[in-house]
C-alpha cells in the first residue's frame, strides 16, 4: 500500500472529548491549517503512541515531521511560529494584548481550573470501570461517587466564579472578543476552552447558564459557531491509523525547530546527557527517556530511538515537567 499523504507534515493524536484536544483542533480549524488526524482511545493503553515510541499519556500530541510536541501550551506556540502554512496567525501582536493572552494561558492551564472543572464530571461517567481505573489518582481523586458528590458544591462555586470573572470584567463593555478586535483569536481560545468543556457537564441552569451570565454565554456561542464554520469551510483532516502515522513520522525529516542546550541552565545538564522527562503533577510514572539535545528556559528536547532505528525528537515545555539525569 502506498504511503498516505500527510498535509503540512502535521499529525494530531487526539480524541474528541479532550478539552485540551479541542483547543488545538479549534486553532487548526480557525487558521485553516490542513493536517492528519490519528484518533486515540479515551483511556489507556494507547498502542499508537508506543509505536513512536512516546510514553507520555496525555492527549493531544502533535507531530511535525520527526518532531513530537507534548502539552498544548507548546503545541500552540509551535503552530504560531509557522506562518507559511496559513496566511494569518491568531496570536496577539501588541505587547499589552500578548500579556492578556499569556495570563489567560497560564491561569486556565497552570492554575486550578481543570482540577475544579473535572470535579463536575457526571458520576455515571466516573463510575465506568474503564474510566475509573484509568483515572485513579488523577488530580488527586479516586473518582468515587461519594467523593464527587461531596466536592460538587465547591467545584460549582469555583466554576460559577470563573464565569463571573469574564462576565463582570473583560466582556462587561459588550465586546465580541477578548481583545476587542475581529476574532476569535488565540486569546479567545485560551480563555474559553475550559468554559466550553464545563458547559457540556450538566450544569444547574439556575447557577451557570445564559440567564445568569448572558455575555459570557453569548461569547461562547459566537466562538462555537466560528469554529464550526471554519471546520465546515476548511479542509477535512486526513484520517490515519496508528501504524500509518508512525510510518510517516519515522520516514520524515526533522521539522524546522532548531535545538541547542543552554550551557548555563540551572539544572547543570549538558548536551548529550541521558535524561528522562515526565509531568510534575500526576501520572509521573509515564516517563520518556532519551539523549538531551535541546534545553532552553521554556523547552526541553530529547532524542529517542524507535524500534525501527529512527531517531525522533520529543519536545516538552519546562513548566509542568521535570527533567532528571539517568
Amino acid at each position: 500500500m502506498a504511503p498516505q499523504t500527510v498535509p503540512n507534515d502535521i499529525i494530531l493524536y487526539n480524541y474528541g472529548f479532550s478539552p485540551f484536544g479541542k483547543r488545538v483542533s479549534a486553532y487548526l480549524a480557525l487558521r485553516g491549517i490542513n493536517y492528519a488526524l490519528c484518533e486515540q482511545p479515551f483511556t489507556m493503553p494507547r498502542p499508537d503512541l508506543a509505536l513512536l515510541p512516546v510514553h507520555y499519556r496525555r492527549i493531544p500530541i502533535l507531530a511535525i515531521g520527526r518532531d513530537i510536541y507534548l502539552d498544548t501550551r507548546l503545541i500552540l506556540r509551535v503552530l504560531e511560529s509557522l506562518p507559511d502554512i496559513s496566511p494569518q496567525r491568531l496570536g496577539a501582536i501588541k505587547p499589552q494584548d500578548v500579556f492578556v493572552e499569556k495570563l489567560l494561558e497560564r491561569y486556565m492551564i497552570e492554575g486550578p481550573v481543570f482540577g475544579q472543572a473535572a470535579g463536575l464530571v457526571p458520576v455515571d461517567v466516573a463510575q465506568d470501570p474503564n474510566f475509573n481505573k484509568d483515572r485513579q489518582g488523577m488530580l488527586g481523586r479516586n473518582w468515587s461517587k461519594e467523593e464527587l458528590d461531596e466536592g460538587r458544591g465547591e467545584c460549582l462555586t469555583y466554576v460559577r466564579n470563573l464565569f463571573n470573572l469574564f462576565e463582570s470584567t473583560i466582556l462587561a463593555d459588550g465586546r465580541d472578543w477578548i481583545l476587542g478586535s475581529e476574532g476569535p483569536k488565540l486569546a479567545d481560545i485560551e480563555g474559553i476552552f475550559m468554559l466550553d468543556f464545563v458547559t457540556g457537564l450538566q450544569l444547574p441552569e439556575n447557577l451557570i447558564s445564559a440567564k445568569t451570565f448572558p455575555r459570557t454565554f453569548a461569547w461562547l456561542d459566537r466562538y462555537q459557531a466560528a469554529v464550526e464554520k471554519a471546520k465546515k469551510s476548511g479542509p477535512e483532516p486526513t484520517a490515519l491509523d496508528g501504524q500509518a502515522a508512525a510510518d510517516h513520522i519515522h520516514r520524515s525529516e526533522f521539522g524546522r525547530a532548531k535545538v541547542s542546550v543552554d550551557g548555563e541552565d540551572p539544572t547543570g545538564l549538558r548536551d548529550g546527557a541521558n535524561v528522562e522527562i515526565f509531568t510534575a503533577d500526576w501520572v509521573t510514572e509515564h516517563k520518556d527517556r532519551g539523549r538531551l539535545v535541546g534545553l532552553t528556559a521554556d523547552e526541553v528536547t530529547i532524542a529517542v530511538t524507535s524500534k525501527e532505528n529512527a531517531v525522533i525528537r520529543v519536545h516538552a515545555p519546562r513548566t509542568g515537567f521535570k527533567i532528571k539525569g539517568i
Side-chain angles (χ1 to χ4, degrees):
M1 182 181 295
Q4 290 178 261
T5 300
V6 174
N8 293 308
D9 221 18
I10 295 174
I11 301 173
L12 178 66
Y13 290 81
N14 198 16
Y15 64 80
F17 185 65
S18 167
F20 295 92
K22 283 183 177 180
R23 89 191 201 105
V24 174
S25 61
Y27 178 93
L28 291 164
L30 290 169
R31 272 194 70 186
I33 296 174
N34 201 0
Y35 64 99
L37 175 64
C38 185
E39 287 278 359
Q40 295 302 294
F42 181 49
T43 58
M44 296 291 282
R46 296 194 177 103
D48 294 347
L49 299 181
L51 294 172
L52 298 178
V54 169
H55 298 283
Y56 175 80
R57 66 149 290 160
R58 300 183 189 179
I59 292 295
I61 288 173
L62 188 82
I64 303 178
R66 268 194 288 152
D67 285 280
I68 311 294
Y69 295 94
L70 315 181
D71 195 286
T72 57
R73 293 167 298 172
L74 181 56
I75 289 172
L76 293 185
R77 189 196 319 157
V78 169
L79 290 172
E80 271 288 296
S81 73
L82 302 175
D84 56 324
I85 60 175
S86 171
Q88 184 177 1
R89 299 182 187 181
L90 299 182
I93 297 174
K94 297 178 181 178
Q96 65 268 31
D97 291 343
V98 175
F99 182 69
V100 171
E101 178 184 289
K102 291 301 180 183
L103 278 183
L104 284 170
E105 174 201 288
R106 293 189 180 192
Y107 180 67
M108 300 301 277
I109 291 183
E110 297 171 23
V113 179
F114 181 54
Q116 295 290 336
L120 299 176
V121 168
V123 171
D124 60 336
V125 173
Q127 296 313 294
D128 175 88
N130 290 331
F131 176 94
N132 194 272
K133 179 181 178 181
D134 187 63
R135 268 33 177 203
Q136 278 297 307
M138 171 182 155
L139 302 170
R141 288 190 173 93
N142 62 29
W143 302 96
S144 68
K145 179 182 185 303
E146 295 74 21
E147 182 186 57
L148 290 173
D149 286 343
E150 181 180 353
R152 184 170 176 80
E154 178 184 335
C155 293
L156 279 171
T157 298
Y158 182 91
V159 170
R160 179 174 63 175
N161 287 339
L162 180 62
F163 272 82
N164 187 60
L165 173 66
F166 288 99
E167 186 80 11
S168 62
T169 58
I170 195 71
L171 299 175
D173 62 3
R175 67 181 63 201
D176 284 345
W177 307 107
I178 288 292
L179 300 180
S181 57
E182 183 180 350
K185 299 293 187 181
L186 181 55
D188 295 285
I189 296 174
E190 301 290 12
I192 212 167
F193 82 101
M194 285 308 304
L195 305 187
D196 190 21
F197 171 64
V198 296
T199 53
L201 299 180
Q202 304 171 11
L203 302 177
E205 189 173 344
N206 64 313
L207 295 179
I208 306 169
S209 67
K211 294 179 181 179
T212 53
F213 301 110
R215 296 185 186 93
T216 307
F217 272 80
W219 172 47
L220 183 56
D221 287 344
R222 285 190 295 273
Y223 172 80
Q224 291 171 336
V227 172
E228 190 61 28
K229 179 181 179 181
K231 288 182 176 180
K232 288 182 178 179
S233 62
E236 182 78 16
T238 300
L240 291 180
D241 63 30
Q243 188 63 60
D247 289 346
H248 174 83
I249 291 168
H250 289 151
R251 67 171 177 265
S252 296
E253 300 296 326
F254 288 122
R256 287 170 290 176
K258 297 186 182 299
V259 297
S260 62
V261 175
D262 177 7
E264 301 299 321
D265 190 86
T267 62
L269 292 168
R270 296 290 181 258
D271 190 6
N274 291 319
V275 300
E276 57 186 14
I277 59 174
F278 52 96
T279 51
D281 48 6
W282 48 273
V283 294
T284 57
E285 69 274 16
H286 294 267
K287 300 178 179 181
D288 286 283
R289 297 178 173 90
R291 179 171 52 86
L292 185 67
V293 295
L295 191 63
T296 65
D298 57 8
E299 186 176 336
V300 56
T301 306
I302 61 173
V304 178
T305 303
S306 72
K307 293 179 181 179
E308 289 74 18
N309 288 321
V311 176
I312 64 171
R313 298 189 302 200
V314 179
H315 305 251
R318 295 294 293 271
T319 304
F321 282 74
K322 290 189 176 183
I323 315 165
K324 182 180 178 182
I326 54 175

